[in-house]
Amino acid sequence: MENNEYEIDITKLLKTAWNGRRQILIISFVFILIGSVIAFVSPLVYSSSTTFINSQTESSQASGLSGVASLVGINLGDGSSGAEIPPTMYPQIGESVDFKRALLKSKIDEKKQINLGDFLAERNRINKSLKNGDNKLFVSKYEDELFTLIEKVISIGVNKKDGFITISANMPNSEYAANTCVNARDILQEIVINSRIQSAKQKLKFSEKQLSSKRIEFEEVQNKLAYFNDSNLNLVTSTIINERSKLEAEFQIINAVMVELSKQVEQRKLRVSEDTPVFSIVKEASMPVKRSSPKRALMVLSFGFIGLVISILYVIIKEPANQIIKEISS
């Protein structure tokens, strides 16, 4: 008996929905129309991505193995030096002020005339009067608004298992998306490289400075010795021989120091080259042909489905709701 009543209720609901089919069609059409307007008004977004890997990751793993091996008395060697930034920290670099400022200054068009900062400011109508100079320690309101936009434009992901880094860029222009993606990758890699070789570069700079200083001293002693020899070609006295010996000894000492400093400079140049991370590009960024959003057909269908559900519920609930209202009123 209960089943029969249930079947009668379903039949009644279907009949009510059928009788109100005109309202259902009208409401669904209105939702489809709204969805179409939103779909065509929504800004176009093109996505471009690039994937790369830091070859230093493998050497870091080898270094870790050498550390474990040393505990049991086995020396595998350790050629690493400097501060290595692990790939898992790359998204944090992307959130840094230095990264964002460098990216805002990068050019995004083929003719290298438009930078990202000006493009975002103009597109989003950000008031440039909010700039407050070029203080590196202070983030102006103008920069803060642009930094917020960059977080929507650039995303950095890391495959923790394999060490792959993927950078994606979302822009309203296909060319701008690809160029922004490449710029972000280059800036990120430059920051990682500078951090890695900072110590080695400082040592190299110190050695070059010392070599330059000693070269001046070397030339002075060399000229002094040559002048002394030219001035005393035909004179052979104990005083002259003694003075010549002192100059030659001084020359040999400075020459030996010069040779050692030259070797040190070359060694430290090699160290800088050795410590410089090498990035292998697995997938290069390209200009997307198709937009990533809006997905207009899907948006229209979604609004149409929502309109259909709402209209059916409205037609079914309308009469019972009116009766309840009348009963309450009376």
Side-chain angles (χ1 to χ4, degrees):
M1 187 72 180
E2 292 179 357
N3 290 336
N4 291 335
E5 290 179 358
Y6 180 75
E7 289 175 1
I8 292 171
D9 290 340
I10 294 294
T11 304
K12 184 178 179 180
L13 292 176
L14 291 174
K15 186 176 180 181
T16 302
W18 176 254
N19 292 334
R21 61 186 180 277
R22 184 175 179 182
Q23 289 179 315
I24 293 174
L25 290 174
I26 292 173
I27 294 173
S28 298
F29 177 77
V30 170
F31 270 81
I32 290 174
L33 188 61
I34 293 172
S36 300
V37 172
I38 293 175
F40 282 95
V41 170
S42 299
L44 299 179
V45 177
Y46 291 88
S47 298
S48 181
S49 64
T50 180
T51 303
F52 63 95
I53 187 171
N54 183 352
S55 63
Q56 290 293 120
T57 304
E58 297 179 0
S59 64
S60 297
Q61 293 173 351
S63 176
L65 290 174
S66 67
V68 175
S70 65
L71 296 177
V72 294
I74 301 174
N75 183 16
L76 298 179
D78 184 9
S80 63
S81 67
E84 173 69 18
I85 299 179
T88 52
M89 291 294 292
Y90 288 6
Q92 280 69 35
I93 295 176
E95 295 175 1
S96 67
V97 172
D98 290 339
F99 174 86
K100 291 178 179 178
R101 280 177 172 166
L103 188 60
L104 287 174
K105 294 177 182 177
S106 63
K107 304 299 181 183
I108 59 175
D109 62 320
E110 187 178 355
K111 296 181 179 179
K112 305 296 181 183
Q113 294 178 347
I114 305 172
N115 62 46
L116 180 61
D118 291 341
F119 174 77
L120 292 177
E122 183 178 348
R123 181 175 176 80
N124 295 276
R125 297 179 181 178
I126 299 176
N127 190 356
K128 293 187 178 182
S129 63
L130 298 175
K131 289 183 178 180
N132 290 330
D134 296 324
N135 191 334
K136 292 183 179 180
L137 301 178
F138 178 76
V139 177
S140 65
K141 189 175 180 181
Y142 174 79
E143 281 186 320
D144 186 58
E145 291 189 25
L146 289 177
F147 289 171
T148 302
L149 293 173
I150 282 183
E151 293 174 1
K152 299 177 182 179
V153 170
I154 292 292
S155 63
I156 302 174
V158 180
N159 184 321
K160 295 182 179 180
K161 182 180 179 181
D162 300 320
F164 290 99
I165 301 95
T166 300
I167 298 178
S168 301
N170 300 312
M171 293 287 281
N173 180 289
S174 178
E175 178 187 350
Y176 294 173
N179 289 333
T180 302
C181 186
V182 172
N183 292 337
R185 182 191 66 201
D186 293 343
I187 293 168
L188 177 65
Q189 291 178 355
E190 185 179 357
I191 292 174
V192 173
I193 290 172
N194 288 337
S195 174
R196 171 68 178 173
I197 66 176
Q198 184 178 7
S199 176
K201 285 181 73 174
Q202 288 176 347
K203 291 179 180 179
L204 173 61
K205 188 176 180 180
F206 174 78
S207 295
E208 289 177 335
K209 186 177 180 180
Q210 292 296 314
L211 178 60
S212 178
S213 176
K214 285 298 177 183
R215 183 175 286 112
I216 295 172
E217 190 176 346
F218 172 80
E219 291 175 354
E220 289 177 353
V221 173
Q222 188 179 41
N223 292 334
K224 189 175 179 181
L225 179 60
Y227 178 77
F228 181 84
N229 288 332
D230 291 341
S231 301
N232 299 280
L233 287 174
N234 300 319
L235 297 176
V236 181
T237 63
S238 297
T239 303
I240 291 173
I241 292 173
N242 188 36
E243 187 65 25
R244 180 182 289 113
S245 297
K246 288 180 180 180
L247 288 172
E248 288 177 347
E250 185 179 359
F251 174 79
Q252 289 174 359
I253 291 171
I254 294 178
N255 184 56
V257 172
M258 280 278 295
V259 171
E260 288 302 317
L261 283 174
S262 298
K263 290 180 181 179
Q264 191 179 80
V265 168
E266 293 304 318
Q267 288 172 351
R268 288 182 172 174
K269 283 182 180 179
L270 289 174
R271 173 58 69 184
V272 170
S273 299
E274 182 181 347
D275 289 350
T276 302
V278 178
F279 296 93
S280 301
I281 298 175
V282 179
K283 175 181 175 293
E284 183 58 277
S286 60
M287 293 198 310
V289 178
K290 295 182 179 180
R291 62 180 181 272
S292 58
S293 67
K295 299 184 182 299
R296 289 171 175 165
L298 182 61
M299 289 180 68
V300 172
L301 289 174
S302 299
F303 270 85
F305 177 76
I306 293 171
L308 178 64
V309 173
I310 292 176
S311 61
I312 291 174
L313 290 175
Y314 170 75
V315 169
I316 292 174
I317 296 173
K318 183 178 66 172
E319 288 186 9
N322 288 335
Q323 291 177 0
I324 293 171
I325 293 171
K326 287 180 180 179
E327 291 178 1
I328 294 172
S329 300
S330 60

